[in-house]
Amino acid sequence: AGEEILNKTYYGSIDVGLYQDDKHENNFVEEVKTKLISNISGSKEDFPGGLISVNTKGELYKENNNEEIREYRYSGPNVNNYVTFNDEIWRIIGVFKDENNIEHVKIVRNNLLSNTIFPQNYIIDGVEYNIKYVSSNYNDSYANYNDKVIDPDNNDWSTAGLQYWLNTMHDESVGEVNKGYLYYLKDDSKNLIEKMKYYLGTIRVNSSSYIYDTPKVVYNTEREVNGCAYNKGPAENNSSNILEANSSCRVWANNSAFWLGEIALLYPSDYGYSTNITYWDTSLAYNSFNLVAKDTSWLQKTTNHISNEWLISPSARGDHFVTGWGGLGDGFCPEVDHTSGFAPRGVRPTLYLKTNVKVISGDGTENNPYELSI
């Protein structure tokens, strides 16, 4: 300071600007995408896990190739994708586009549902479905079975008893027997769920009834329904409509090509893509996927994965067979009514979230999962 201001007194003020820190109130889609691992260095076999982007070929996205991103997925054995939903721990599968290219976060319950909440008999629209198989040793779940209608055990998810139970609240007129899974969800959680399209393309199997295609092929097979007239399978089933690799309508006769709804199950490809990227070209079958890839899958490592689990996709094995995931880490095809030796016991609800869901706290780690709100 120069001599001209010495021995003088100055008065001033400090202006304090107040603002709200929106760090933890980000849009959930954008918050998840901030976790993207843009460059995977070193050996892919040593990839510990994280959020990666997938290109339209179903392969790891490489920016320098001018590729288009199809979706974002959590892959690998160790990922921080924890979120609180319905006061429970769920996991983030990834970020996916709907038909209008709007992105949604897809989540899945960390634990299999307790079979204590399954009703043995469940009534919807006057039809009684069996949801729980009760024997001296097991209390398992059916995908679809009732003994009151023609074709009581087909593999169409849109008319399956399990689908009805997952997506129904509670019909007071029939009492306790009609409590659906939505009845058990808290209101603030129900308000987060987006109704989405789930594709019902038929999955190919080998002679031992295991899913033999790779995750990349299975993903496309699940969605090969664009050629279905009136969004249905052919009026009379022809196996070539299901088994041909270039079929544009891989749907059983009169089955729905897709389903619009809120609560669903995992696709077979969701398990395939949850592994280390090295194994995206590995068959999902027993004695293949389970031998090399299962220990690199965060989904396989989720808590309570101790038994076989139902999946949403129908199977090419027959019109009363669907897909399932084995506790050993492989894709297989059980009958929907438990008459096969591969009877699944587990149900793991899956859903998409609305686009206006925001993060209000948490960082996605196991000890500090994301907390969400509209």
Side-chain angles (χ1 to χ4, degrees):
E3 291 183 351
E4 68 276 7
I5 65 168
L6 294 179
N7 303 316
K8 294 181 180 178
T9 302
Y10 292 86
Y11 298 91
S13 64
I14 298 176
D15 291 336
V16 179
L18 301 181
Y19 66 96
Q20 180 172 325
D21 182 357
D22 287 328
K23 179 180 180 181
H24 291 297
E25 291 194 359
N26 291 337
N27 175 275
F28 193 33
V29 168
E30 299 306 319
E31 176 71 18
V32 171
K33 288 167 64 174
T34 65
K35 307 297 184 180
L36 179 67
I37 301 175
S38 58
N39 294 300
I40 299 177
S41 58
S43 171
K44 291 188 293 186
E45 287 78 1
D46 298 329
F47 176 54
L51 184 73
I52 51 85
S53 47
V54 182
N55 64 21
T56 53
K57 295 180 180 179
E59 301 168 346
L60 182 66
Y61 168 80
K62 301 180 182 63
E63 186 176 5
N64 57 356
N65 291 349
N66 295 318
E67 299 173 341
E68 180 181 350
I69 294 178
R70 187 178 77 187
E71 67 222 9
Y72 302 85
R73 287 184 180 268
Y74 277 99
S75 300
N78 302 305
V79 297
N80 289 315
N81 62 346
Y82 295 85
V83 60
T84 300
F85 181 85
N86 196 46
D87 292 340
E88 303 166 338
I89 295 299
W90 287 51
R91 307 291 291 274
I92 304 166
I93 298 173
V95 177
F96 303 84
K97 297 177 182 178
D98 63 17
E99 289 186 300
N100 299 314
N101 284 325
I102 298 174
E103 293 177 320
H104 300 264
V105 176
K106 184 180 181 182
I107 64 175
V108 61
R109 195 174 189 269
N110 192 51
N111 288 350
L112 303 177
L113 285 178
S114 170
N115 55 31
T116 58
I117 69 173
F118 300 152
Q120 186 171 352
N121 300 298
Y122 177 70
I123 299 173
I124 185 73
D125 294 333
V127 179
E128 183 174 322
Y129 292 87
N130 303 113
I131 304 297
K132 181 163 63 175
Y133 170 75
V134 179
S135 71
S136 58
N137 298 319
Y138 302 113
N139 288 320
D140 301 341
S141 59
Y142 285 111
N144 189 28
Y145 181 70
N146 71 78
D147 54 7
K148 300 291 192 302
V149 298
I150 299 173
D151 194 17
D153 53 1
N154 67 25
N155 59 7
D156 186 348
W157 171 254
S158 70
T159 59
L162 183 56
Q163 181 271 118
Y164 288 135
W165 179 78
L166 285 172
N167 288 276
T168 304
M169 280 287 293
H170 180 42
D171 187 347
E172 297 292 344
S173 65
V174 293
E176 293 294 309
V177 73
N178 212 38
K179 281 184 179 178
Y181 177 64
L182 279 178
Y183 173 85
Y184 298 94
L185 295 184
K186 299 180 180 299
D187 288 341
D188 57 352
S189 294
K190 286 197 283 276
N191 291 334
L192 303 179
I193 304 173
E194 182 69 273
K195 181 177 285 188
M196 291 282 286
K197 176 183 284 190
Y198 291 84
Y199 297 91
L200 301 178
T202 304
I203 306 303
R204 295 177 293 192
V205 298
N206 61 21
S207 59
S208 299
S209 298
Y210 290 102
I211 302 173
Y212 68 79
D213 281 323
T214 67
K216 294 190 297 184
V217 175
V218 167
Y219 178 94
N220 291 322
T221 303
E222 293 161 352
R223 292 157 178 80
E224 286 179 350
V225 299
N226 291 331
C228 296
Y230 307 108
N231 300 320
K232 288 280 190 179
E236 293 183 4
N237 192 53
N238 180 336
S239 61
S240 65
N241 289 328
I242 297 172
L243 300 178
E244 289 181 1
N246 62 351
S247 171
S248 60
C249 183
R250 298 176 58 83
V251 179
W252 283 100
N254 299 311
N255 277 15
S256 298
F258 60 84
W259 171 76
L260 293 172
E262 295 179 309
I263 311 292
L265 303 174
L266 291 166
Y267 288 111
S269 63
D270 288 330
Y271 264 104
Y273 276 112
S274 71
T275 64
N276 186 313
I277 54 181
T278 304
Y279 302 110
W280 290 0
D281 289 317
T282 302
S283 165
L284 298 183
Y286 181 72
N287 279 338
S288 177
F289 201 82
N290 62 301
L291 296 181
V292 296
K294 71 179 182 69
D295 290 336
T296 73
S297 163
W298 66 266
L299 260 177
Q300 187 70 29
K301 296 175 67 175
T302 51
T303 307
N304 199 27
H305 199 288
I306 57 176
S307 62
N308 299 336
E309 174 184 344
W310 295 109
L311 301 178
I312 191 173
S313 301
S315 165
R317 182 182 178 188
D319 62 1
H320 57 290
F321 288 87
V322 292
T323 51
W325 192 259
L328 296 178
D330 55 80
F332 66 102
C333 298
E335 290 187 79
V336 299
D337 62 354
H338 267 300
T339 58
S340 73
F342 295 110
R345 307 177 193 175
V347 175
R348 191 188 301 273
T350 305
L351 56 91
Y352 292 89
L353 298 172
K354 294 178 178 178
T355 57
N356 59 343
V357 170
K358 294 184 180 296
V359 178
I360 58 175
S361 67
D363 58 10
T365 58
E366 185 174 7
N367 294 326
N368 190 24
Y370 290 121
E371 295 281 348
L372 307 177
S373 178
I374 289 291

